Amino acid sequence: MEGSAKKRLATLVGCNYPNSRHELSGCINDVHAMRDLLLSRFGFSPDDVVLLTDDAHLDSSSPSSSALPTGANIRRALTDMIDRAGPGDVLFFHYSGHGTLIPPVKPHHGWQHRRDEAIVPCDFNLITDVDFRQLVDRLPAETTFTMVSDSCHSGGLIDKEKEQIGPEAETTTADVSGAIHRTVGRYLPFESVLGHLASLSGIDSPHVGEHLAELFGAEASRKFSGGAAAAGRGDDAILLSGCQANETSADMSPFEAGSGGKAYGAFSNAIRVVLGEKEEGAVISNRELVMAARKVLRERGFEQHPCLYCSDENADAPFLWPRPEKKQQLRACM
């Protein structure tokens, strides 16, 4: 296997928010299914795959609360993964759960179009696009960091990453007359996030950063404490988002075609469908995977549009495989 001496590290996060009014059904199933795929198809070792799910506290065999996908635990797992990485390693992060959009502290003309994307850990300690930018800026040279986010408003979750497939991507009209009824989306309005945090912090403030600072201190997003992202260097971060920044992502119920009797995220399931149609050992580029996932979702009547954000080179690089050495690329062209 090409690059077999390199490390392949993964962090998988699934938030179902059990016993809350924000509860979802398919997120934990998503990451368990992805773990199986990483081990069986992509050569990951079980010891190098970290799984954080919010059913851990319901399992008496769980060793500690460290397995819960809190904001601090997710950041720590990602930081540890990057700290372990060396040049040429393959890193992977899969998030399945709620996403939200954060308005600016001082609204201005056109502010509706300049909100910041964030994921919502089980304790609501938001992780923003700025946080992900700061993480990937620490990557060693030639180390790829692939992020799949099956959440609402996930387009652009790595701040300042180049858009390869987004709202302007060419799509074809499909017959969705057989579209299946869906009742659950992964949409969590910012007002609900703010209200929940305010109920915990006891602070009367419209600014989410003040609530996060009160509740989580140094473990809150640096976005709200002056830690803005830099301009964004050329890097090997790759974001496959479940939808555009202005869209929502959907859960598939156990009764929907292709779900196999379990609830799943529509985007996570589409990725598995596309990869399952490939022969063992066959590779597919990041661009091809996103476009094929769009096709699967369109044919099943979903309205969300997965997107791709990365460098030009990584857009056509194989999904979760090391890029070929430049010498090998030249030899192949001779």
Side-chain angles (χ1 to χ4, degrees):
M1 182 179 67
E2 183 71 37
S4 58
K6 300 299 183 181
K7 294 190 291 293
R8 307 175 72 78
L9 311 174
T11 299
L12 313 179
V13 174
C15 295
N16 275 357
Y17 316 92
N19 305 317
S20 76
R21 61 177 178 167
H22 309 296
E23 186 168 4
L24 296 172
S25 300
C27 303
I28 293 175
N29 290 339
D30 284 342
V31 295
H32 280 289
M34 181 57 74
R35 180 182 184 275
D36 292 342
L37 192 61
L38 295 179
L39 301 185
S40 64
R41 188 181 185 101
F42 292 102
F44 284 72
S45 165
D47 293 336
D48 292 329
V49 179
V50 174
L51 195 67
L52 305 178
T53 61
D54 57 2
D55 61 346
H57 68 293
L58 303 176
D59 182 1
S60 59
S61 65
S62 178
S64 71
S65 62
S66 64
L68 288 172
T70 63
N73 284 344
I74 296 172
R75 287 188 183 89
R76 189 173 301 115
L78 291 174
T79 298
D80 290 346
M81 185 169 68
I82 292 173
D83 287 344
R84 288 185 60 193
D89 289 348
V90 176
L91 310 186
F92 180 61
F93 173 52
H94 185 159
Y95 172 75
S96 185
H98 278 305
T100 195
L101 286 175
I102 306 170
V105 173
K106 296 180 179 180
H108 48 80
H109 178 69
W111 66 272
Q112 296 91 338
H113 304 292
R114 285 191 282 273
R115 297 186 179 193
D116 291 312
E117 301 83 12
I119 63 171
V120 185
C122 68
D123 62 348
F124 279 55
N125 186 5
L126 303 179
I127 303 179
T128 71
D129 57 341
V130 170
D131 297 311
F132 287 117
R133 165 50 59 193
Q134 292 172 339
L135 281 167
V136 302
D137 278 351
R138 296 181 54 244
L139 288 172
E142 301 298 318
T143 299
T144 57
F145 177 98
T146 301
M147 174 177 172
V148 170
S149 189
D150 195 349
S151 57
C152 293
H153 311 302
S154 47
L157 254 177
I158 301 178
D159 190 42
K160 298 181 174 65
E161 197 61 58
K162 183 175 182 179
E163 179 184 292
Q164 297 287 345
I165 300 174
E168 302 306 318
E170 233 179 87
T171 57
T172 58
T173 304
D175 177 12
V176 295
S177 57
I180 307 162
H181 179 62
R182 267 159 292 282
T183 57
V184 179
R186 297 182 171 184
Y187 173 59
L188 189 55
F190 174 75
E191 292 74 19
S192 296
V193 174
L194 185 63
H196 177 77
L197 292 171
S199 70
L200 297 176
S201 70
I203 296 176
D204 183 16
S205 171
H207 304 312
V208 67
E210 295 184 9
H211 299 285
L212 292 170
E214 175 68 18
L215 292 167
F216 303 109
E219 293 180 340
S221 171
R222 290 185 60 197
K223 170 183 172 58
F224 305 108
S225 58
R233 61 173 174 80
D235 60 63
D236 282 320
I238 304 162
L239 169 64
L240 291 79
S241 66
C243 62
Q244 298 170 181
N246 63 340
E247 292 180 331
T248 61
S249 293
D251 258 0
M252 295 177 67
S253 79
F255 309 105
E256 292 180 281
S259 70
K262 288 185 177 181
Y264 288 115
F267 179 51
S268 297
N269 183 259
I271 287 177
R272 293 193 301 275
V273 168
V274 173
L275 294 175
E277 293 175 347
K278 297 289 182 180
E279 293 182 1
E280 189 69 26
V283 298
I284 181 172
S285 73
N286 293 300
R287 186 190 305 277
E288 291 169 335
L289 180 56
V290 170
M291 293 306 294
R294 279 192 170 203
K295 182 174 183 291
V296 170
L297 292 170
R298 188 169 63 245
E299 290 174 345
R300 292 181 174 179
F302 291 94
E303 297 182 354
Q304 67 197 73
H305 299 84
C307 299
L308 175 65
Y309 295 80
C310 62
S311 67
D312 295 341
E313 184 178 10
N314 280 329
D316 295 310
F319 175 70
L320 288 186
W321 287 106
R323 291 177 304 184
E325 299 284 344
K326 290 184 179 178
K327 290 183 180 179
Q328 293 173 325
Q329 290 176 326
L330 290 172
R331 189 180 303 121
C333 296
M334 293 176 63

